[in-house]
Amino acid sequence: MSEVNEFAGVHDEGVGRGNGIRYSSSAAVEAVGDWKFQVTEFAKGAAEMSVEFGKGVRDVVNQTVLREDSVIVKKLKGPCHKILGKLRFLNDYLPEDRDPVHAWTVIVCVWILALAVLLVNITQTTTPLVRKMKVHPASASIILLPDGRRLAYQEQGVPADQARYSMIVPHSFLWSRLSGIPGVKGALLEEFGIRLVTYDLPGFGESDPDPKRNLESSALDMLHLAYAVNVREKFWVLGYSDGSKHAWAALHYIPDRIAGAIMVAPMVNPYEPRLTKEESRRIWGKWTVKKKLMYFLARKFPRLLPYFYRRSFLSGNLDQIDTWLSVSLGKRDRAVVEDRAFQDFWLRNVEESVRQSNARPFVEEAVLQVSNWGFSIGDLNGQSKYKGEGILAWLKSLYTPADKRLSGFLGPIHIWQGDEDRVVPPSMSDYVQRDLPDAILHKLPYEGHFSYLYFCSECHRHIFTTVFGHPQGPLTANESRAPVVDEAGENAEAICSDAARNEERLSTLAQHDEFR
């Protein structure tokens, strides 16, 4: 029996290979139990110390604050006794064996906890739900550009053969061809005989991206679009906010095809070297720190912009417009953007703008805004020196003031600018008027960035009346269209033939897709 017990004991033992110490499994169990005992005793000791600390704090308060000669007791003792005396009748509702002080303390704590829970629930129910963006079915009309890209556009107003005035509108950042003139009524366009053509910039909406995109290519896209949709006469261009850079580009690169320009809160390059220090200070002073940072990144580190874009409007969730544009809005603009009609309009445009889920077009827009445009707005205002022969004529020209005239673009330029605009500061329009004196600046007191153009029929009528005069309706069959003044007639014919060929290619592609 002893040998059997010894054999069993051998199997009950274990060998510690790490330090050569021999121990039994029972010893390990005792060690674990000892560890649990120590933790338990430590918790008990911490609880006892907390209780004792609380008692000490209570004693200190009783000896200092709640003394009979304490200022707090002298001032609050009388009112407290009166209030407690009036509420003493509530003690009748307590059980006879309950101490009123302890009972009412518990009741007050329970009420505080219940109110806190109710407040949390109310806050959660009143918080608006996050609106999700969705991709809508394709609805745009498409043309093929000479380089094979697809350009999406939309038409409003009167038909091409009845248009008294044709207007092309490039959209601004985070918008699409659906923006156009926000809220403009078809009856108003028909009353003035206006044909309104809006299009998606490259990479936005349903338009293909342009790997060689710049402001000159933007102006040429506008020119090709005009010929493709049968705009044979000169057309008007409308630029709003940072979308106005494409309108400025049209005035510079294709001035012979532009009848006039309508600018609403036009944006200029905030790094424009012709800006004075005072103008630059007033422009940058209107912007938030985040907006300044985004402009700095676009100019110096554009590769970082996709990170911010994917966390905001490319995330699939809709947020407030001032958050995404990093701006602070005035009272009038705030009232406009909080309206339900604007919210629905804003959601639909953003959904269309980001339907390709590509950050590159937005980065290109931001970089174009703050980089060298290839021209300056003041370049439209040429200078004509005194012309003559001989040394005397040359010397006279040095002391003769330059004769300023619009040499690049001869048509009218109307600018509407709100004095309370915090997105495009009024200092930008002041700079444009200083650098381009023949431009007509219409200042709008108390108006902001959105309050004048968005869903304001009176404002739309005011703009059309100022630019076009009294409404004359669409063209009739007896009225003749004004001839096109185009010095580059051969180029226009070539573009028209290219547009016709592109339409044939587009129809062929469509038939091929249907066959597939």
Side-chain angles (χ1 to χ4, degrees), residues 3-57:
E3 293 177 359
V4 175
N5 291 336
E6 287 181 7
F7 182 78
V10 170
H11 288 277
D12 289 338
E13 293 177 347
V15 178
R17 298 293 182 183
N19 51 16
I21 298 176
R22 196 176 180 86
Y23 60 90
S24 63
S25 59
S26 61
V29 173
E30 291 178 0
V32 174
D34 184 60
W35 179 80
K36 292 182 178 179
F37 174 76
Q38 291 179 4
V39 172
T40 304
E41 292 300 320
F42 177 79
K44 291 181 179 179
E48 292 177 356
M49 291 177 62
S50 301
V51 172
E52 294 299 327
F53 177 76
K55 291 180 179 179
V57 173

Side-chain angles (χ1 to χ4, degrees), residues 217-278:
S217 67
S218 178
L220 293 179
D221 286 351
M222 199 180 305
L223 178 64
H224 295 316
L225 173 64
Y227 282 114
V229 298
N230 198 29
V231 177
R232 304 294 179 179
E233 73 282 359
K234 290 186 176 183
F235 59 88
W236 286 76
V237 61
L238 188 150
Y240 169 67
S241 191
D242 56 354
S244 58
K245 60 179 174 287
H246 303 288
W248 291 123
L251 298 182
H252 178 75
Y253 290 109
I254 53 172
D256 295 332
R257 294 289 289 121
I258 308 298
I262 298 174
M263 303 288 189
V264 182
M267 189 85 173
V268 299
N269 186 351
Y271 294 97
E272 168 63 47
R274 296 195 186 188
L275 288 168
T276 65
K277 290 184 178 180
E278 179 61 21

